[in-house]
Amino acid sequence: MAANEEAMKYVWEGAIPLQIHLHKSEVASHPAPPPALVLAPRIGYLPLLVPLIKPYFKDSLPPGEDSIWFDYKGVPLKWYIPTGVLFDLLCAEPERPWNLTIHFRGYPSNVLIPCEGEDSAKWNFVNSLKEAAYIINGNCKNVMNMSQSDQEDLWTSVMNGDLDAYTRLLPKLKMGNIEDEFSRKESLSSPVSRQGGGTEIDVAGQVKTARIPVRLYVRSVSQNFENLEDVPEIDTWDEISYMNRPVEFLKEKGKCFTLRDAIESLLPEYSGDRAQTSGEEEADGSQETRGEIKLVRIQGIELKLEIPFSWVVNNLMNPEFYLHISVLVIGPQR
Amino acid sequence: MSQEEKAMEAIKDALRALRKRHLLEEGAHGPAISALSKPMISQGSEWKEKTEKLEIELQQCYKAQSRLSDQLVIEVAESRTSKASLQDKELLINDLEKDLSQTREECTRLQEELEEKTKTLDLLITENKEVRSQLEEMTNRAQKAESENKMLIDRWMLQKMQDAERLNEANALYEEMLAKLKANGLENLARQQVDGIVRRNEDGTDHFVESTIPSTCGHRIHAHEGGCGSILFQYNSRTLFTGGQAGPVKMWDTNSGSLIKSLNGSLGNILDLAITHDNKSLIAASSSNNLFVWDVNSGRVRHTLTGHTDKVCAVDVSKFSSRHVVSAAYDRTIKLWDLQKGYCTNTVLFTSNCNAICLSIDGLTVFSGHMDGNLRLWDIQTGKLLSEVAGHSSAITSVSLSRNGNMILTSGRDNVHNVFDTRTLEICGTLRASGNRLASNWSRSCISPDDEYVAAGSADGTVHVWSISKGSIVSTLKEQTSPILCCSWSGIGKPLASADKNGYVCTWT
């Protein structure tokens, strides 16, 4: 199997086991319903899981209208963040199955934006797509020009996790490509040019520089830790800072733009430290007041930072052409 | 390691990490969760099915609802129209009720009328019934009366028949007696003639009186207006009957010349008079086709003899029986009447009209003088012609018998007066006068009672008197100016009376 196809397959097939508990305040039946076990697609969103979960709990619900929201350890989960990203972000040590609590009442409007179920998720997806198109192409004409049925089909393929359908629909989207010699069929094939990166077929016309849409989630922990198990539980979203900043993909001669370069461009304050390989963390000792990037997770895996960014982008991006990066740092909370 | 190699290594590493993740996450938990969620899914699908079913039901319900609402619209519209029609019907009902009440009133009124009518009808029916019963009663009574009447009539007829039988018997007896008497009478007469002695026998004989030759006029009586056609003296008296154009027959006393009586009841012109021997009945021949018979004493008409179809111009009554009347009329008949029976017993027809008629003394022979100038003799009983004699060349106007019955005087329009012998029918004498002209077909002449003289009137108003034996005029009486129609000599010899066309009657003595 080709490397990029394999990677995309894994990305699309990725699913997190969730154990959904009904919040005890909403248990209206005796005995209390058992938790629901669902597999949540990584690239999907929490509101899409409601039809699967609701049957488990509907008999137990108190009377009233439903306004569904999830929380993890008391923290209401933002629904517009893909499920995989939430998992990577909030669970330092992957908790499998991930225990979430579902609420049907008492929507925390001060914390979460309203959600109307699948439709909200769909619009969120399309908007993100437009944003990505704008970043990549300079305009979102390609999304706008897409017919409504095609948009529906695109969203349906995302909802259903149908990579084939998505791949068929991609040409209609006419999103600009990110030239990546590393994503060709032969994993060891030599790159055409050492220049790497750089789009030559930019739709918008920018030849030399590519802009990659990136959403960066930074969780800062105050205390250093040795093992991931020791990472304290998250309390509030205040611990997490969110950056929606494109990465300028510079084509440099003789140099390959790595992930490290990307992160450094995004988080210059942490660029002094060079986190090593994924998985094991190295206690490097805090140097100054500068934070230390302890963990970089994309699509649930920790990557070697030497990995070419273009490969990362082309293989690990979400269906809406955004690359979601979760970072755990030690440093002062912002 | 070159950067490239590092890169490749990193990529491989990444892939490995992805695989591992897969194993840890979906690889490990997927099957279990799917196994667990199958019931849920199936439940979910159940729910889906239920939902679908419910949706279908709901759709059907909607359809049904729409149908029902359509129906409802229709029904509402229909109900509106029904209401409208109902209102109309109500109005109609009101009108009909009014009509009905009116009709009821009319009906009661009519009923009342009907009752009244029925009542009246009942009343009428009862009345009718009563009237009918009355009618029945009346009819019964009438029937009874009829039957009684019939019975009575039958009885009466029976009585009458019995009377008639008795009468017949009596008549038969009487006739027998009369016959006997006649026989006796004839014997006596014969004796008288021979003897010349007047004997007074039974009734029916006459006095013999010598008659004087009249010369002076006694009375001049205006008897009738328009002419006096017939005069006659009562037997053996001076009473004179006169009959004229119109009015009654008058009875005069020639002594005084005054009217004794008037006999009323006659119609038409009196053409001839005859009186019964007992002076009780006077018969007049009238131009009204009838003969009138008076009872002289009472002056009332006893019989009106009808049967002639033309004017009756001559009449005579039998001296013997006073019962047989013979009349001649211009219907060319001579009728024989029975005064007792009151009707015609015999009728004789002939060709020539009879102007004058006279019965013989015995009453068995009729002498008739005719227009053809012949004198005929008839048998009274058989009505057969016995003989005829040509007496005159023109019409005979008068036939009168002498008192002794032997001579008969006939006067004709040829102004000749012949005297015949009744037995031989030979002319005994012919009397003429130069100035004597008979005035009419019924100018009557007469013989004096002593059978000696003949008096006849003339058209110039003179009366001539002849003597039979001498055959010449012995007297000429001039007094009247108009033509003399009739002369009559009283049975006692005088006076002689003459009547003229102006109705004057003169008496001569």
Side-chain angles (χ1 to χ4, degrees):
Chain A
M1 188 173 331
N4 60 329
E5 280 183 18
E6 190 186 352
M8 282 299 273
K9 200 166 76 72
Y10 279 119
V11 164
W12 274 69
E13 282 176 9
I16 302 167
L18 298 179
Q19 191 166 243
I20 313 284
H21 303 263
L22 181 63
H23 192 252
K24 57 180 184 294
S25 71
E26 295 178 16
V27 174
S29 70
H30 186 74
L37 284 172
V38 289
L39 266 183
R42 274 184 165 268
I43 57 167
Y45 301 84
L46 285 173
L48 301 179
L49 301 175
V50 170
L52 293 175
I53 299 165
K54 189 160 175 188
Y56 283 92
F57 300 118
K58 75 166 178 51
D59 294 329
S60 312
L61 291 178
E65 283 201 9
D66 300 330
S67 52
I68 300 170
W69 55 286
F70 297 85
D71 85 75
Y72 173 60
K73 297 218 185 321
V75 177
L77 298 179
K78 301 194 179 189
W79 55 269
Y80 50 83
I81 302 175
T83 318
V85 176
L86 282 170
F87 183 57
D88 297 340
L89 184 60
L90 300 176
C91 274
E93 178 65 35
E95 185 186 312
R96 300 187 182 102
W98 193 25
N99 287 292
L100 295 182
T101 311
I102 188 168
H103 298 255
F104 287 85
R105 305 275 185 276
Y107 198 84
S109 313
N110 53 342
V111 181
L112 300 180
I113 60 176
C115 172
E116 302 296 323
E118 185 211 315
D119 279 345
S120 307
K122 182 171 85 173
W123 289 123
N124 173 58
F125 171 79
V126 172
N127 280 337
S128 305
L129 197 60
K130 288 182 189 168
E131 276 188 55
Y134 186 76
I135 291 169
I136 295 172
N137 302 326
N139 60 54
C140 43
K141 272 191 205 169
N142 60 337
V143 181
M144 307 288 248
N145 290 342
M146 220 173 130
S147 68
Q148 194 71 26
S149 59
D150 287 339
Q151 280 184 26
E152 292 283 339
D153 293 339
L154 197 70
W155 167 247
T156 312
S157 69
V158 171
M159 257 207 316
N160 299 335
D162 192 351
L163 177 58
D164 295 328
Y166 180 79
T167 318
R168 261 182 277 129
L169 285 165
L170 265 189
K172 294 196 185 173
L173 187 54
K174 302 190 180 69
M175 195 69 88
N177 253 355
I178 305 200
E179 188 60 33
D180 170 28
E181 59 269 22
F182 297 99
S183 299
R184 286 191 212 117
K185 293 217 176 165
E186 288 155 354
S187 54
L188 295 174
S189 62
S190 59
V192 170
S193 69
R194 291 204 87 204
Q195 314 308 24
T199 52
E200 288 149 19
I201 45 174
D202 239 348
V203 174
Q206 268 204 335
V207 181
K208 296 271 175 55
T209 316
R211 286 143 49 92
I212 312 295
V214 169
R215 288 199 171 133
L216 185 70
Y217 305 88
V218 181
R219 182 183 171 192
S220 47
V221 183
S222 52
Q223 300 241 328
N224 202 349
F225 53 87
E226 295 230 343
N227 296 319
L228 281 177
E229 295 98 5
D230 300 330
V231 174
E233 290 177 4
I234 188 163
D235 285 327
T236 65
W237 282 98
D238 298 336
E239 299 172 26
I240 297 168
S241 65
Y242 161 70
M243 269 188 268
N244 187 358
R245 200 193 301 161
V247 168
E248 301 277 341
F249 194 173
L250 297 167
K251 225 172 35 177
E252 282 181 44
K253 273 197 182 228
K255 204 164 179 283
C256 156
F257 193 77
T258 66
L259 180 60
R260 190 190 303 275
D261 298 330
I263 290 177
E264 281 176 2
S265 73
L266 288 174
L267 296 171
E269 58 270 27
Y270 298 100
S271 59
D273 306 75
R274 301 244 171 210
Q276 290 297 329
T277 55
S278 61
E280 313 289 77
E281 54 88 30
E282 282 180 0
D284 231 358
S286 57
Q287 316 235 0
E288 286 98 10
T289 54
R290 270 193 183 174
E292 183 190 339
I293 297 175
K294 293 297 277 186
L295 193 60
V296 174
R297 268 203 197 124
I298 301 177
Q299 294 292 351
I301 56 171
E302 290 168 42
L303 297 169
K304 283 193 172 155
L305 295 174
E306 286 75 27
I307 194 165
F309 190 61
S310 57
W311 188 94
V312 172
V313 170
N314 278 327
N315 290 288
L316 300 181
M317 72 172 172
N318 273 48
E320 75 274 13
F321 282 81
Y322 258 97
L323 187 68
H324 299 259
I325 307 174
S326 311
V327 177
L328 182 67
V329 301
I330 297 178
Q333 290 177 352
R334 299 191 197 153
Chain B
M1 253 193 272
S2 71
Q3 199 169 19
E4 213 179 295
E5 283 169 353
K6 272 193 198 171
M8 296 309 295
E9 191 62 38
I11 288 169
K12 277 191 211 160
D13 200 37
L15 285 171
R16 239 184 283 132
L18 278 172
R19 277 183 223 117
K20 193 173 165 189
R21 186 205 78 184
H22 168 77
L23 288 171
L24 284 174
E25 290 183 357
E26 62 269 18
H29 294 87
I33 289 176
S34 71
L36 283 171
S37 72
K38 269 213 173 86
M40 269 295 128
I41 290 171
S42 66
Q43 252 194 17
S45 68
E46 262 181 50
W47 288 117
K48 257 199 181 175
E49 279 175 24
K50 272 197 191 170
T51 322
E52 274 168 17
K53 264 192 244 163
L54 287 171
E55 272 186 23
I56 292 170
E57 270 186 47
L58 189 68
Q59 266 185 11
Q60 283 174 352
C61 286
Y62 282 143
K63 277 187 201 160
Q65 191 188 29
S66 72
R67 257 185 281 130
L68 283 170
S69 53
D70 287 341
Q71 271 186 6
L72 182 70
V73 165
I74 293 171
E75 293 296 322
V76 165
E78 271 183 21
S79 100
R80 274 210 203 106
T81 51
S82 304
K83 270 191 192 166
S85 74
L86 186 70
Q87 271 187 0
D88 289 340
K89 293 268 161 52
E90 277 193 11
L91 288 173
L92 199 66
I93 283 175
N94 278 342
D95 288 338
L96 286 174
E97 274 185 6
K98 279 186 206 156
D99 285 343
L100 181 69
S101 62
Q102 276 183 14
T103 324
R104 280 215 187 105
E105 283 177 26
E106 264 196 56
C107 182
T108 49
R109 201 169 40 85
L110 285 172
Q111 270 186 359
E112 281 167 17
E113 275 189 41
L114 181 69
E115 276 184 36
E116 276 185 46
K117 295 263 160 63
T118 333
K119 279 183 199 161
T120 44
L121 184 69
D122 286 336
L123 219 78
L124 284 170
I125 286 175
T126 48
E127 276 182 18
N128 188 26
K129 270 191 195 160
E130 280 182 33
V131 168
R132 261 188 218 232
S133 62
Q134 278 186 14
L135 178 71
E136 269 188 50
E137 261 187 61
M138 290 295 161
T139 343
N140 284 341
R141 270 197 238 164
Q143 277 181 359
K144 275 189 212 159
E146 267 187 48
S147 57
E148 272 188 43
N149 192 25
K150 239 185 157 183
M151 211 174 47
L152 286 169
I153 285 178
D154 287 339
R155 274 201 254 157
W156 189 31
M157 289 308 294
L158 204 66
Q159 291 271 351
K160 280 256 162 177
M161 277 173 56
Q162 286 175 357
D163 284 342
E165 278 180 31
R166 275 189 238 127
L167 270 170
N168 281 344
E169 284 179 28
N171 280 345
L173 270 168
Y174 181 67
E175 281 179 29
E176 274 184 48
M177 280 168 54
L178 216 59
K180 278 188 206 161
L181 191 67
K182 199 174 60 180
N184 284 346
L186 276 171
E187 276 185 38
N188 290 340
L189 269 171
R191 256 186 252 133
Q192 271 182 12
Q193 291 287 341
V194 172
D195 291 344
I197 300 169
V198 175
R199 286 196 199 109
R200 245 203 129 102
N201 284 348
E202 312 104 43
D203 287 331
T205 57
D206 302 319
H207 286 296
F208 178 79
V209 177
E210 205 169 280
S211 353
T212 57
I213 298 172
S215 52
T216 52
C217 175
H219 292 284
R220 196 162 178 268
I221 308 163
H222 189 99
H224 295 277
E225 289 289 335
C228 181
S230 177
I231 54 177
L232 186 69
F233 276 101
Q234 257 189 352
Y235 276 106
N236 303 324
S237 84
R238 285 169 175 246
T239 312
L240 179 68
F241 290 101
T242 62
Q245 276 271 10
V249 171
K250 295 186 182 164
M251 198 169 157
W252 308 90
D253 177 21
T254 49
N255 274 339
S256 58
S258 60
L259 178 71
I260 301 170
K261 208 188 279 190
S262 286
L263 301 175
N264 293 304
S266 66
L267 298 166
N269 202 356
I270 307 294
L271 294 172
D272 201 2
L273 290 166
I275 193 160
T276 55
H277 196 70
D278 53 5
N279 287 338
K280 282 193 184 155
S281 303
L282 179 73
I283 301 115
S286 159
S287 64
S288 68
N289 311 352
N290 295 333
L291 292 126
F292 298 96
V293 181
W294 283 271
D295 178 59
V296 175
N297 286 333
S298 64
R300 280 179 296 141
V301 176
R302 227 177 40 175
H303 290 293
T304 306
L305 303 174
T306 56
H308 280 295
T309 56
D310 209 331
K311 55 183 180 246
V312 190
C313 54
V315 67
D316 199 11
V317 65
S318 164
K319 289 191 183 67
F320 247 124
S321 65
S322 303
R323 193 176 141 188
H324 296 286
V325 172
V326 64
S327 67
Y330 256 39
D331 56 0
R332 298 194 189 85
T333 60
I334 296 174
K335 279 182 185 287
L336 183 65
W337 311 84
D338 186 332
L339 276 184
Q340 280 197 351
K341 290 182 187 171
Y343 52 82
C344 170
T345 53
N346 220 336
T347 307
V348 178
L349 285 163
F350 47 86
T351 51
S352 177
N353 270 328
C354 173
N355 282 330
I357 205 161
C358 186
L359 273 168
S360 65
I361 287 287
D362 55 4
L364 296 174
T365 312
V366 178
F367 294 93
S368 61
H370 292 261
M371 287 289 289
D372 57 357
N374 286 336
L375 177 69
R376 291 186 172 95
L377 278 81
W378 308 85
D379 181 272
I380 202 173
Q381 284 172 343
T382 61
K384 287 216 165 77
L385 180 68
L386 292 169
S387 63
E388 70 178 22
V389 176
H392 293 263
S393 54
S394 55
I396 297 174
T397 69
S398 171
V399 172
S400 30
L401 201 64
S402 68
R403 205 156 180 200
N404 58 13
N406 295 332
M407 289 187 292
I408 190 159
L409 171 71
T410 63
S411 308
R413 281 311 280 279
D414 55 356
N415 305 326
V416 173
H417 309 269
N418 286 327
V419 180
F420 286 88
D421 186 314
T422 55
R423 291 162 295 190
T424 60
L425 290 177
E426 284 177 358
I427 295 177
C428 306
T430 305
L431 304 169
R432 285 194 190 87
S434 60
N436 186 267
R437 279 180 295 116
L438 273 73
S440 75
N441 277 343
W442 307 296
S443 295
R444 312 283 187 213
S445 54
C446 61
I447 304 177
S448 67
D450 60 357
D451 300 331
E452 186 53 38
Y453 302 102
V454 169
S458 165
D460 56 4
T462 54
V463 180
H464 297 266
V465 182
W466 291 268
S467 162
I468 295 174
S469 56
K470 293 172 191 168
S472 61
I473 291 181
V474 295
S475 176
T476 308
L477 306 167
K478 278 198 175 73
E479 181 63 40
Q480 288 152 305
T481 49
S482 53
I484 305 293
L485 292 179
C486 189
C487 296
S488 182
W489 216 305
S490 170
I492 51 174
K494 56 175 180 186
L496 169 72
S498 60
D500 68 356
K501 219 167 184 182
N502 280 346
Y504 284 97
V505 175
C506 280
T507 57
W508 307 90
T509 49

mmCIF file of all heavy atoms in Angstrom, chain A residues 55, chain B residues 37-52:
data_model
loop_
_atom_site.group_PDB
_atom_site.id
_atom_site.type_symbol
_atom_site.label_atom_id
_atom_site.label_comp_id
_atom_site.label_asym_id
_atom_site.label_seq_id
_atom_site.Cartn_x
_atom_site.Cartn_y
_atom_site.Cartn_z
ATOM 1 N N PRO A 55 -30.567 6.769 21.975
ATOM 2 C CA PRO A 55 -31.417 5.618 22.276
ATOM 3 C C PRO A 55 -31.098 4.957 23.605
ATOM 4 O O PRO A 55 -31.962 4.420 24.273
ATOM 5 C CB PRO A 55 -31.169 4.667 21.116
ATOM 6 C CG PRO A 55 -30.725 5.528 20.015
ATOM 7 C CD PRO A 55 -29.984 6.667 20.646
ATOM 8 N N SER B 37 -23.486 -2.561 20.214
ATOM 9 C CA SER B 37 -24.445 -1.573 19.706
ATOM 10 C C SER B 37 -25.451 -2.143 18.726
ATOM 11 O O SER B 37 -26.375 -1.470 18.320
ATOM 12 C CB SER B 37 -23.680 -0.431 19.037
ATOM 13 O OG SER B 37 -23.142 -0.921 17.807
ATOM 14 N N LYS B 38 -25.179 -3.435 18.374
ATOM 15 C CA LYS B 38 -26.150 -3.998 17.392
ATOM 16 C C LYS B 38 -27.589 -3.910 17.873
ATOM 17 O O LYS B 38 -28.449 -3.486 17.141
ATOM 18 C CB LYS B 38 -25.749 -5.440 17.098
ATOM 19 C CG LYS B 38 -24.811 -5.555 15.936
ATOM 20 C CD LYS B 38 -25.033 -6.851 15.148
ATOM 21 C CE LYS B 38 -24.176 -6.801 13.918
ATOM 22 N NZ LYS B 38 -22.791 -7.288 14.174
ATOM 23 N N PRO B 39 -27.818 -4.388 19.115
ATOM 24 C CA PRO B 39 -29.220 -4.268 19.534
ATOM 25 C C PRO B 39 -29.725 -2.828 19.470
ATOM 26 O O PRO B 39 -30.832 -2.569 19.074
ATOM 27 C CB PRO B 39 -29.251 -4.779 20.961
ATOM 28 C CG PRO B 39 -27.891 -5.247 21.266
ATOM 29 C CD PRO B 39 -26.979 -5.020 20.115
ATOM 30 N N MET B 40 -28.769 -1.955 19.890
ATOM 31 C CA MET B 40 -29.155 -0.558 19.839
ATOM 32 C C MET B 40 -29.526 -0.141 18.434
ATOM 33 O O MET B 40 -30.513 0.536 18.213
ATOM 34 C CB MET B 40 -27.994 0.333 20.322
ATOM 35 C CG MET B 40 -28.032 0.619 21.795
ATOM 36 S SD MET B 40 -29.481 1.592 22.210
ATOM 37 C CE MET B 40 -30.127 0.601 23.499
ATOM 38 N N ILE B 41 -28.640 -0.629 17.530
ATOM 39 C CA ILE B 41 -28.904 -0.231 16.139
ATOM 40 C C ILE B 41 -30.228 -0.808 15.671
ATOM 41 O O ILE B 41 -31.034 -0.136 15.061
ATOM 42 C CB ILE B 41 -27.761 -0.702 15.223
ATOM 43 C CG1 ILE B 41 -26.501 0.117 15.528
ATOM 44 C CG2 ILE B 41 -28.158 -0.539 13.772
ATOM 45 C CD1 ILE B 41 -25.279 -0.408 14.833
ATOM 46 N N SER B 42 -30.283 -2.138 16.052
ATOM 47 C CA SER B 42 -31.552 -2.747 15.630
ATOM 48 C C SER B 42 -32.717 -2.021 16.268
ATOM 49 O O SER B 42 -33.728 -1.762 15.627
ATOM 50 C CB SER B 42 -31.559 -4.232 15.978
ATOM 51 O OG SER B 42 -31.558 -4.375 17.389
ATOM 52 N N GLN B 43 -32.486 -1.702 17.591
ATOM 53 C CA GLN B 43 -33.565 -0.923 18.209
ATOM 54 C C GLN B 43 -33.798 0.361 17.463
ATOM 55 O O GLN B 43 -34.922 0.756 17.205
ATOM 56 C CB GLN B 43 -33.208 -0.609 19.675
ATOM 57 C CG GLN B 43 -34.048 -1.397 20.631
ATOM 58 C CD GLN B 43 -33.967 -0.862 22.046
ATOM 59 O OE1 GLN B 43 -33.540 0.261 22.268
ATOM 60 N NE2 GLN B 43 -34.360 -1.694 22.990
ATOM 61 N N GLY B 44 -32.616 0.925 17.133
ATOM 62 C CA GLY B 44 -32.754 2.176 16.385
ATOM 63 C C GLY B 44 -33.543 1.965 15.106
ATOM 64 O O GLY B 44 -34.437 2.747 14.769
ATOM 65 N N SER B 45 -33.177 0.838 14.441
ATOM 66 C CA SER B 45 -33.909 0.587 13.194
ATOM 67 C C SER B 45 -35.370 0.326 13.485
ATOM 68 O O SER B 45 -36.247 0.757 12.746
ATOM 69 C CB SER B 45 -33.279 -0.586 12.440
ATOM 70 O OG SER B 45 -33.486 -1.776 13.174
ATOM 71 N N GLU B 46 -35.588 -0.416 14.600
ATOM 72 C CA GLU B 46 -36.988 -0.589 15.008
ATOM 73 C C GLU B 46 -37.675 0.755 15.115
ATOM 74 O O GLU B 46 -38.755 0.968 14.581
ATOM 75 C CB GLU B 46 -37.049 -1.282 16.369
ATOM 76 C CG GLU B 46 -37.290 -2.767 16.273
ATOM 77 C CD GLU B 46 -37.364 -3.361 17.667
ATOM 78 O OE1 GLU B 46 -38.131 -2.804 18.479
ATOM 79 O OE2 GLU B 46 -36.656 -4.338 17.914
ATOM 80 N N TRP B 47 -36.959 1.601 15.851
ATOM 81 C CA TRP B 47 -37.564 2.923 16.050
ATOM 82 C C TRP B 47 -37.783 3.607 14.725
ATOM 83 O O TRP B 47 -38.797 4.257 14.491
ATOM 84 C CB TRP B 47 -36.667 3.788 16.933
ATOM 85 C CG TRP B 47 -36.682 3.336 18.351
ATOM 86 C CD1 TRP B 47 -35.644 2.859 19.078
ATOM 87 C CD2 TRP B 47 -37.832 3.277 19.189
ATOM 88 N NE1 TRP B 47 -36.041 2.515 20.314
ATOM 89 C CE2 TRP B 47 -37.408 2.755 20.426
ATOM 90 C CE3 TRP B 47 -39.174 3.597 19.030
ATOM 91 C CZ2 TRP B 47 -38.259 2.561 21.484
ATOM 92 C CZ3 TRP B 47 -40.024 3.407 20.093
ATOM 93 C CH2 TRP B 47 -39.561 2.889 21.319
ATOM 94 N N LYS B 48 -36.804 3.398 13.868
ATOM 95 C CA LYS B 48 -36.957 4.021 12.540
ATOM 96 C C LYS B 48 -38.201 3.492 11.840
ATOM 97 O O LYS B 48 -38.996 4.236 11.268
ATOM 98 C CB LYS B 48 -35.714 3.715 11.694
ATOM 99 C CG LYS B 48 -34.771 4.881 11.579
ATOM 100 C CD LYS B 48 -33.847 4.680 10.407
ATOM 101 C CE LYS B 48 -32.896 5.843 10.323
ATOM 102 N NZ LYS B 48 -31.911 5.667 9.288
ATOM 103 N N GLU B 49 -38.309 2.146 11.901
ATOM 104 C CA GLU B 49 -39.490 1.564 11.277
ATOM 105 C C GLU B 49 -40.759 2.136 11.878
ATOM 106 O O GLU B 49 -41.691 2.523 11.175
ATOM 107 C CB GLU B 49 -39.472 0.053 11.447
ATOM 108 C CG GLU B 49 -38.599 -0.646 10.446
ATOM 109 C CD GLU B 49 -38.521 -2.128 10.747
ATOM 110 O OE1 GLU B 49 -39.471 -2.637 11.396
ATOM 111 O OE2 GLU B 49 -37.543 -2.762 10.364
ATOM 112 N N LYS B 50 -40.734 2.154 13.247
ATOM 113 C CA LYS B 50 -41.928 2.694 13.902
ATOM 114 C C LYS B 50 -42.184 4.113 13.438
ATOM 115 O O LYS B 50 -43.321 4.488 13.132
ATOM 116 C CB LYS B 50 -41.734 2.685 15.419
ATOM 117 C CG LYS B 50 -42.144 1.403 16.072
ATOM 118 C CD LYS B 50 -42.314 1.595 17.571
ATOM 119 C CE LYS B 50 -42.468 0.246 18.224
ATOM 120 N NZ LYS B 50 -42.403 0.340 19.683
ATOM 121 N N THR B 51 -41.125 4.875 13.397
ATOM 122 C CA THR B 51 -41.290 6.250 12.980
ATOM 123 C C THR B 51 -41.870 6.323 11.578
ATOM 124 O O THR B 51 -42.764 7.118 11.302
ATOM 125 C CB THR B 51 -39.930 6.967 12.992
ATOM 126 O OG1 THR B 51 -39.162 6.539 14.108
ATOM 127 C CG2 THR B 51 -40.114 8.469 13.061
ATOM 128 N N GLU B 52 -41.295 5.464 10.723
ATOM 129 C CA GLU B 52 -41.821 5.485 9.357
ATOM 130 C C GLU B 52 -43.301 5.151 9.322
ATOM 131 O O GLU B 52 -44.096 5.834 8.679
ATOM 132 C CB GLU B 52 -41.038 4.496 8.492
ATOM 133 C CG GLU B 52 -39.782 5.119 7.907
ATOM 134 C CD GLU B 52 -38.882 4.058 7.301
ATOM 135 O OE1 GLU B 52 -39.370 2.923 7.054
ATOM 136 O OE2 GLU B 52 -37.710 4.359 7.079
#
